[in-house]
Amino acid sequence: MRPIRLEMQGFTSFRQSTSIDFSRLDLFAISGPTGAGKTSIIDAIIYALYGYTPRLGRQSISDLISQGADRVQVLLEFSSGSSRFRVGRHTKWTGKKIITDLRLEEFDGEAWSSRADKVTQAEPMIEEIVGLDFNGFTKSVVLPQGRFDEFLKGRIDERRKILSDLLQLNIYERMMQRANEIARNNKNKSDTLASLLARDYADAKLS
């Protein structure tokens, strides 16, 4: 997934409509003083794709809305492989509940065509297009805030633990444990059958 253009309005520190063009950038760095909105740019990309952010999770979506505003709008245009998409997410806080509209479109070379206009319909498509779910994206593409600093400054064993957590490498340990368990069970069955054959059919002869 490669970002092309990002538009935000009412998103954390970006109360006014703000647009960022990534299309001419191959490599870039986001810099600025504390509170300038650096993290918000990354959060907006994640929010557009998945509907929530690593910092706040699903339960605090209203905290993404700029102070004094009642809604947030984010539009992300991006490419995946040779295809080009844009996803627009509009969330309104009524004071009691969150209402979200989501639209996914694909560019066919001449115009934008709708792929989905419902959250439940669009979100699985986005995961398929990007090739990652929220956890995979935030562990392999975008490191959660604070984790990179921990990784740089930590001891070797601490860095290994952080990397293992970020990439969920423990899944391979669980797979190994499960494989060993299956192997032990099969060996027990094999030993049991061998014992039965030796005991009950030791004198059997082929006719």
Side-chain angles (χ1 to χ4, degrees), residues 43 49 58 73 88:
D43 281 349
L49 293 172
R58 290 185 180 274
Q73 299 179 74

Side-chain angles (χ1 to χ4, degrees), residues 109-191:
E110 296 183 358
W112 292 98
S113 59
S114 177
R115 290 283 304 273
D117 57 7
K118 295 181 180 179
V119 173
T120 54
Q121 182 184 24
E123 288 188 340
M125 289 185 180
I126 292 171
E127 289 188 8
E128 183 178 354
I129 290 167
V130 176
L132 294 166
D133 61 10
F134 175 83
N135 288 329
F137 190 84
T138 55
K139 286 178 171 60
S140 60
V141 178
V142 178
L143 293 177
Q145 188 178 29
R147 300 294 278 176
F148 189 60
D149 182 66
E150 292 177 33
F151 184 78
L152 288 178
K153 295 180 179 178
R155 300 191 307 268
I156 292 177
D157 59 329
E158 292 175 336
R159 291 201 299 268
R160 184 181 297 113
K161 174 65 167 59
I162 292 171
L163 189 61
S164 178
D165 290 343
L166 289 173
L167 300 180
Q168 293 185 330
L169 297 180
N170 59 342
I171 188 173
Y172 299 106
E173 182 180 351
R174 296 198 302 271
M175 290 172 61
M176 182 182 68
Q177 292 173 349
R178 178 57 179 156
N180 289 338
E181 180 182 348
I182 293 173
R184 286 194 299 270
N185 290 337
N186 287 337
K187 185 176 185 306
N188 290 337
K189 291 179 181 178
S190 176
D191 291 344

Side-chain angles (χ1 to χ4, degrees), residues 195-205:
S195 296
L196 288 174
L197 289 172
R199 185 190 66 193
D200 298 337
Y201 300 98
D203 298 328
K205 297 180 180 179

Side-chain angles (χ1 to χ4, degrees), residues 66-77:
S66 300
Q67 187 174 3
D70 66 349
R71 68 193 64 203
V72 57
Q73 299 179 74
V74 175
L75 176 69
L76 174 66
E77 183 179 337

Side-chain angles (χ1 to χ4, degrees), residues 41-97:
I41 295 173
I42 303 301
D43 281 349
I45 292 174
I46 300 172
Y47 170 75
L49 293 172
Y50 299 103
Y52 58 110
T53 68
R55 289 190 298 162
L56 298 177
R58 290 185 180 274
Q59 304 305 316
S60 303
I61 299 301
S62 59
D63 292 340
L64 294 173
I65 301 175
S66 300
Q67 187 174 3
D70 66 349
R71 68 193 64 203
V72 57
Q73 299 179 74
V74 175
L75 176 69
L76 174 66
E77 183 179 337
F78 66 97
S79 62
S80 180
S82 59
S83 300
R84 187 172 158 192
F85 303 89
R86 68 183 181 189
V87 53
R89 196 180 290 265
H90 174 275
T91 296
K92 181 178 180 180
W93 169 242
T94 67
K96 294 183 179 180
K97 64 178 181 178

